[in-house]
């Protein structure tokens, strides 16, 4: 007969092997061992403070849990599938180590509030780790931007040439996205660090527990308001999955640009060898596989979010075993977003930009057409009319296969007598960038402001 379960009192027969295989979670929730042990130690100490256990019993329990953690971390701990999950594996080993007092640990507690606590702590810890990775990646975007302030490239809308921008402006856009990701993670972490311990199975407990002191000991921000809510919602994990989805979406957008820019038709970037792969049949190939996979894995993280949303949508109060399915999507997203942030930082740091190719690309696509229209407005022509005249100039240039700035001054003058030879200063791409110093623009004064603000944020976050 199979080993007796911790909950086996009312059972006469063992669990079918297929059921054990189907229902176990220890193969993945062992990842939560640190949070589980910290939660149990705080619970034991609180039980002693409240007179439910003696101080000596609490000491035995916390020391025993330290020993269990040491076994896990040195790799000698024997995880047992028949013990179902991380909680019962640890409690069972604790009782082997410290004897009968181990059986008192679960007083006033249920696995339902226990797992909710562990998972809240785990999600909050991982959100904090993603935050640090995102800050580091943002810092690489900022460094790269600073290095390439003088490079100008075609800014696009609809992936069509629109207006010239500084490469710094382009790269800083991603740093600002990551800053918002970090803000979102903080907010999510704040709500995750609310302790559900004391909710017990679903209705609260009759023991004189002190949940607030447990929460404080675990560095949490407060305790649950409603026991049924506390054991059964997973909105904190959903928020974290949403945050990771948005991070991946941001990374994926830049990946898409790397992929486009590495195509020789653009030639804006050269892939570092360490972050590219070759083809087994086409010797000339250097493929942006890392960027492609990051784009692909973004879909996978969205899937993790949708998985948990779908698990949750039909659950009546309070705990349901379906909730056990919350961990694998989260662990998958955690792995993916952590690796992706780290790889993005490395790949971006090693990325080489081709200033010449970017400069050459400026002369195709009439990126200075807005400048001509603004020039006409400055000469007293209403904007709609200026837009129309500029359109005719573009048509003329297109017909002759020339950029606007190569049209003879007399032809421009013929289109509109207000156009004088000083128009060519305005048509200069660098000058077009330099003029855009309104807050948030691509001009150098605006860039100074952006660098100052984003560097101040990084310093604040890293304590540097
Ligand atoms: N492994 C379970 C989970 O992840 C722990 C809670 C089990 N609770 C229960 N009532 N069966 O949800």
């Amino acid at each position: 007969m199979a080993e007796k379960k911790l909950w086996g009192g009312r059972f006469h027969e063992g669990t079918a092997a297929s059921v054990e295989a189907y229902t176990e979670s220890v193969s993945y929730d062992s990842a939560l061992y640190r949070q589980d042990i910290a939660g149990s130690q705080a619970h034991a100490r609180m039980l002693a403070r409240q007179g439910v256990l003696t101080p000596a019993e609490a000491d035995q329990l916390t020391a025993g849990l330290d020993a269990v953690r040491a076994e896990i971390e040195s790799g000698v701990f024997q995880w047992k599938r028949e013990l179902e999950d991380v909680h019962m594996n640890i409690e069972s080993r604790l009782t082997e180590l410290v004897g009968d007092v181990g059986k008192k640990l679960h007083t006033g507690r249920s696995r339902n509030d226990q797992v909710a606590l562990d998972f809240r702590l785990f999600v909050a810890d991982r959100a904090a780790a993603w935050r640090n990775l995102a800050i580091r990646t943002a810092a690489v975007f900022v460094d790269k931007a600073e290095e390439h302030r003088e490079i100008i490239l075609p800014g696009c809308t609809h992936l069509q040439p629109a207006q010239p921008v500084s490469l710094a402006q382009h790269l800083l856009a991603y740093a600002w996205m990551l800053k918002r990701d970090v803000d979102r993670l903080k907010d999510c972490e704040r709500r995750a660090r609310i302790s559900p311990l004391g909710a017990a199975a679903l209705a609260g407990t009759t023991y004189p527990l002190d949940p607030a002191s447990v929460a404080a000991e675990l560095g949490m921000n407060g305790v649950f308001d409603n026991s049924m809510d506390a054991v059964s919602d997973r909105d904190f994990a959903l928020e974290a999955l949403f945050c990771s989805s948005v991070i991946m979406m941001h990374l994926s957008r830049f990946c898409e640009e790397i992929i486009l820019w590495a195509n020789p038709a653009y030639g804006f970037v050269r892939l570092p060898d360490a972050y590219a792969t070759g083809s087994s049949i086409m010797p000339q190939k250097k493929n942006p596989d890392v960027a492609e996979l990051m784009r692909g894995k973004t879909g996978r993280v969205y899937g993790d979010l949708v998985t948990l949303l779908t698990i949750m949508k039909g659950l009546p109060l309070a705990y349901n075993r379906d909730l056990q399915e919350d961990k694998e999507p989260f662990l998958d997203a955690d792995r993916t977003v952590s690796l992706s942030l780290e790889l993005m930082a490395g790949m971006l740091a090693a990325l080489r930009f081709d200033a010449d190719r970017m400069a050459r690309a400026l002369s195709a696509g009439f990126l200075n057409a807005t400048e001509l229209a603004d020039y006409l407005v400055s000469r007293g022509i209403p904007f709609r009319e200026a837009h129309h005249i500029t359109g005719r100039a573009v048509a003329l240039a297109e017909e002759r296969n020339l950029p606007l700035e190569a049209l003879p001054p007399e032809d421009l003058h013929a289109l509109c007598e207000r156009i004088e030879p000083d128009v060519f200063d305005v048509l200069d791409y660098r000058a077009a960038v330099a003029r855009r110093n309104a807050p948030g623009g691509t001009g150098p004064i605006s860039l100074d402001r952006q660098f100052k603000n984003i560097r101040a944020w990084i310093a604040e976050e890293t304590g540097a």
Side-chain angles (χ1 to χ4, degrees):
M1 149 136 184
E3 196 168 326
K4 196 83 176 152
K5 305 289 183 199
L6 294 182
W7 40 253
R10 58 108 70 217
F11 286 77
H12 302 296
E13 287 172 38
T15 316
S18 56
V19 171
E20 226 162 60
Y22 196 72
T23 56
E24 68 86 24
S25 56
V26 68
S27 55
Y28 51 88
D29 69 12
S30 58
L32 277 61
Y33 77 90
R34 242 185 279 114
Q35 290 76 10
D36 190 71
I37 288 174
S40 288
Q41 290 179 323
H43 181 66
R45 282 194 274 263
M46 179 275 293
L47 289 176
R49 281 196 300 277
Q50 299 302 104
V52 180
L53 296 182
T54 67
E57 287 174 328
D59 286 347
Q60 272 177 284
L61 289 172
T62 52
L65 286 163
D66 280 338
V68 172
R69 185 179 36 232
E71 286 188 1
I72 295 171
E73 287 175 355
S74 67
V76 300
F77 190 91
Q78 300 263 314
W79 296 102
K80 294 182 181 150
R81 193 176 80 177
E82 58 278 18
L83 290 174
E84 257 181 61
D85 55 27
V86 60
H87 324 293
M88 292 197 288
N89 266 271
I90 289 176
E91 189 186 320
S92 156
R93 179 65 185 142
L94 172 70
T95 303
E96 275 174 23
L97 289 173
V98 302
D100 277 351
V101 64
K103 297 178 183 166
K104 295 191 176 183
L105 173 65
H106 213 50
T107 312
R109 185 174 77 168
S110 155
R111 261 190 303 158
N112 298 348
D113 56 347
Q114 182 180 2
V115 71
L117 172 72
D118 294 2
F119 198 35
R120 278 176 174 275
L121 288 171
F122 187 81
V123 167
D125 289 348
R126 295 313 302 155
W130 302 346
R131 216 158 24 83
N132 289 329
L133 290 169
I135 293 165
R136 244 182 46 204
T137 307
V140 179
F141 273 104
V142 176
D143 289 345
K144 276 286 186 196
E146 188 114 66
E147 245 176 80
H148 296 105
R149 285 186 69 135
E150 301 307 323
I151 296 184
I152 291 173
L153 77 157
C156 288
T157 63
H158 313 266
L159 199 59
Q160 298 294 321
Q163 289 174 345
V165 292
S166 159
L167 180 54
Q169 176 78 348
H170 194 115
L171 295 174
L172 280 177
Y174 289 97
W176 289 114
M177 293 179 214
L178 287 166
K179 177 184 179 294
R180 287 195 301 281
D181 291 332
V182 169
D183 289 346
R184 250 187 299 274
L185 283 169
K186 276 190 188 168
D187 199 42
C188 151
E189 205 189 320
R190 185 170 58 80
R191 270 187 294 275
R193 292 200 195 275
I194 295 294
S195 176
L197 209 61
L202 77 162
T205 179
T206 56
Y207 290 92
L209 304 186
D210 179 13
S213 71
V214 174
E217 185 176 332
L218 293 170
M220 301 178 89
N221 302 319
V223 298
F224 67 99
D225 293 298
N226 177 295
S227 59
M228 295 181 85
D229 174 33
V231 292
S232 67
D233 205 359
R234 295 293 182 266
D235 54 357
F236 60 95
L238 286 168
E239 285 188 34
L241 285 169
F242 173 74
C243 290
S244 61
S245 297
V246 176
I247 293 173
M248 290 302 298
M249 177 274 288
H250 286 151
L251 298 182
S252 181
R253 292 181 66 190
F254 189 60
C255 286
E256 173 69 7
E257 301 201 296
I258 293 178
I259 293 161
L260 289 171
W261 288 1
N263 182 298
Y266 274 87
F268 287 3
V269 295
R270 246 159 320 178
L271 290 171
D273 281 355
Y275 291 87
T277 50
S279 157
S280 55
I281 176 169
M282 297 166 282
Q284 87 282 14
K285 294 281 269 184
K286 189 164 167 191
N287 295 329
D289 295 41
V290 174
E292 292 169 85
L293 272 169
M294 212 173 284
R295 189 176 58 180
K297 284 174 191 286
T298 300
R300 171 183 176 140
V301 173
Y302 292 2
D304 294 326
L305 170 63
V306 173
T307 296
L308 186 54
L309 277 170
T310 311
I311 289 167
M312 297 301 299
K313 77 184 260 289
L315 296 187
L317 289 174
Y319 179 86
N320 296 275
R321 189 63 178 269
D322 316 45
L323 289 172
Q324 180 168 292
E325 290 288 309
D326 58 2
K327 288 170 210 71
E328 281 178 296
F330 184 81
L331 291 167
D332 182 69
D334 176 29
R335 218 174 7 254
T336 310
V337 75
S338 303
L339 284 173
S340 301
L341 280 167
E342 221 161 289
L343 271 168
M344 177 56 87
M347 176 164 68
L348 176 61
L351 207 59
R352 296 276 158 263
F353 295 95
D354 190 326
D356 287 345
R357 291 297 299 265
M358 289 184 175
R360 262 185 283 157
L362 287 171
S363 56
F366 309 106
L367 290 134
N368 46 5
T370 314
E371 309 313 307
L372 178 55
D374 288 346
Y375 170 88
L376 290 168
V377 169
S378 76
R379 301 290 136 118
I381 296 180
F383 182 75
R384 273 295 148 230
E385 216 175 295
H387 188 286
H388 185 75
I389 296 166
T390 305
R392 287 177 49 218
V394 167
L396 183 67
E398 199 160 41
E399 223 177 83
R400 299 196 194 160
N401 202 14
L402 290 172
L404 280 177
E405 65 275 20
L407 285 175
E410 47 296 352
D411 290 358
L412 285 168
H413 191 73
L415 281 173
C416 171
E417 60 187 19
R418 306 268 175 95
I419 304 181
E420 319 265 359
D422 64 354
V423 73
F424 294 104
D425 298 338
V426 166
L427 293 180
D428 180 71
Y429 300 103
R430 201 162 283 279
V433 170
R435 269 195 296 277
R436 286 177 164 72
N437 284 308
T442 185
I445 299 170
S446 160
L447 282 178
D448 284 344
R449 246 184 330 252
Q450 291 188 55
F451 279 119
K452 183 167 155 275
N453 292 339
I454 199 131
R455 289 223 184 269
W457 167 69
I458 291 169
E460 188 184 309
E461 292 292 345
T462 56

